[in-house]
Amino acid sequence: MEAKTPNPNAILQTAFSFWSSKVLLTAVEFGVFTKLAGRQLTGAELGAELKLHPRGIADFFDALVAMKFLDRAGDGPASKYFNTPEGALFLDEKSPRYVGGILIMLNARLFKYWHDLPEALRTGLPQNEVKHGARGIFEELYSDLPRLEQFMGAMTGISRINFEAFAEKFDFSKYKTLCDVGGATGLLCLEAAKKHPHLRCTSFDLPPVEPIAKKHIAAAGLAGHVGTASGDFFKDPLPKADVITMGMILHDWNLEKKMHLIRAAYDALPPGGALVAIEALIDDSRRENVQGLLMSLNMLIEFGDAFDYTGADFRKWCGEVGFRRFEVIHLAGPSSAAVAYK
């Protein structure tokens, strides 16, 4: 068999990938996909609505076409741009499946903080607002209810895909109650309750979050199936339930705090109960899940000592606490549910 000749394509594609990332993030920030909802516009028309300088209009929109995020009918100045099915579904802010909130946060915050990855790797210290003398992101958000709700809305789009998959794939038949720890808007509880009407679900989070969750639960018409509870999961016992879920919670903390949360879940579960951690779980060999590994570097940039982990790590930690059986359920994209049974 002929030996494969090495080439630099993958190296160069990755090295220049921040160009394409910034084009997409800017398009979402500008509301390109929302402006095009149900419409076809020329570059000049769309550029005028977005108040863009003529110089960059064709390059910007055609780059989005070449990247397959926009489509275009025809060629030349008279051609018209329109949304792809994916753009219409996921990037129009009026779509119920909108994921652009997290993209806006990436553009506003993380793009610039990732510039300091070399310093994070050398020092092990956060490179976000804290480095520049401001309060940390959670401390800042929890002091401002409108901003907190906006942040949680941004996280909803990216979380929904995984929570829907979890509600579909996990066997709830032998369980009657679920508590989602760090439940935010109540999304995981809502998805589980919609799929499994016999479940009674509780969304548990800090007191400022409770009115946000109640509003979303009422809007979904599921107040009879989903309730709320408030407290601090590092200070208060977790609500008792047959299944305790933590969606993108464990990775926010160092090992000591991870272990505290795992012990708190164990104490709140009955025999046979399940702890479920939903994350961009790193594969056990740490060779495949690029997104999981990059997410762990993001935890370094955000918090310093926080980190993502493998299914084997989760099994080891939960085994030390007393859990007896384990499994990993792939959900969507890079994300999985790590499950420990008491």
Side-chain angles (χ1 to χ4, degrees):
M1 191 172 80
E2 187 177 346
K4 185 178 178 181
T5 304
N7 72 69
N9 292 349
I11 294 170
L12 295 173
Q13 183 176 4
T14 299
F16 283 94
S17 61
F18 73 96
W19 287 10
S20 54
S21 172
K22 193 64 177 179
V23 168
L24 175 61
L25 296 179
T26 301
V28 173
E29 180 186 311
F30 283 179
V32 169
F33 306 93
T34 304
K35 286 282 187 187
L36 284 173
R39 308 165 75 196
Q40 294 193 12
L41 298 175
T42 66
E45 290 167 342
L46 183 56
E49 291 198 13
L50 297 172
K51 299 181 171 56
L52 304 185
H53 187 280
R55 163 60 189 87
I57 284 174
D59 290 343
F60 182 45
F61 298 144
D62 288 340
L64 289 165
V65 170
M67 292 157 64
K68 312 301 183 190
F69 297 127
L70 282 183
D71 210 337
R72 190 187 67 214
D75 297 316
S79 64
K80 295 195 172 185
Y81 297 91
F82 57 97
N83 281 330
T84 64
E86 292 78 12
L89 186 60
F90 297 117
L91 297 176
D92 173 6
E93 64 187 32
K94 295 183 176 64
S95 168
R97 310 290 295 180
Y98 180 62
V99 300
I102 190 68
L103 275 67
I104 288 171
M105 191 184 82
L106 290 174
N107 202 34
R109 292 186 65 250
L110 291 179
F111 201 94
K112 60 178 178 283
Y113 295 141
W114 267 74
H115 176 75
D116 292 337
L117 176 63
E119 187 175 343
L121 291 169
R122 292 188 184 106
T123 66
L125 297 175
Q127 302 299 311
N128 60 9
E129 292 89 348
V130 173
K131 174 183 172 180
H132 303 283
R135 292 189 292 184
I137 179 173
F138 288 144
E139 188 180 359
E140 183 70 29
L141 287 169
Y142 280 89
S143 68
D144 183 344
L145 197 59
R147 281 191 66 202
L148 177 61
E149 187 165 13
Q150 183 182 38
F151 170 79
M152 289 181 170
M155 297 303 293
T156 294
I158 197 168
S159 301
R160 177 178 280 113
I161 299 166
N162 292 322
F163 294 169
E164 284 178 340
F166 171 65
E168 176 73 31
K169 295 183 177 186
F170 185 76
D171 181 7
F172 280 102
S173 61
K174 54 184 175 283
Y175 300 114
K176 295 179 180 177
T177 57
L178 177 151
C179 175
D180 185 33
V181 175
T185 63
L187 180 65
L188 190 151
C189 286
L190 293 173
E191 295 300 333
K194 281 191 288 187
K195 187 72 179 173
H196 306 280
H198 73 281
L199 276 180
R200 292 298 175 266
C201 304
T202 301
S203 185
F204 177 79
D205 213 315
L206 291 167
V209 181
E210 194 166 17
I212 297 173
K214 284 184 173 179
K215 184 166 78 171
H216 284 262
I217 292 163
L222 287 169
H225 296 269
V226 180
T228 61
S230 64
D232 183 330
F233 53 46
F234 287 124
K235 296 177 181 176
D236 304 312
L238 301 182
K240 303 282 187 184
D242 298 333
V243 178
I244 290 178
T245 53
M246 298 182 185
M248 292 167 286
I249 296 295
L250 280 181
H251 79 152
D252 284 339
W253 310 102
N254 63 21
L255 182 56
E256 179 185 358
K257 290 183 175 178
K258 283 177 167 64
M259 293 303 296
H260 175 99
L261 291 173
I262 291 169
R263 289 189 189 98
Y266 186 86
D267 291 342
L269 288 166
L275 166 62
V276 182
I278 296 174
E279 308 272 19
L281 204 67
I282 300 170
D283 57 289
D284 287 351
S285 67
R286 297 177 61 89
R287 291 175 178 270
E288 301 295 332
N289 193 348
V290 175
Q291 183 67 17
L293 292 160
L294 294 178
M295 180 65 82
S296 198
L297 286 173
N298 190 62
M299 291 300 100
L300 164 62
I301 284 169
E302 287 281 31
F303 303 116
D305 57 0
F307 60 94
D308 284 73
Y309 51 91
T310 67
D313 293 329
F314 180 80
R315 177 174 184 152
K316 176 178 180 291
W317 302 330
C318 292
E320 289 173 4
V321 169
F323 287 93
R324 298 298 180 89
R325 186 166 65 86
F326 310 90
E327 66 175 326
V328 171
I329 303 169
H330 178 254
L331 299 178
S335 297
S336 297
V339 187
Y341 297 93
K342 182 171 175 178

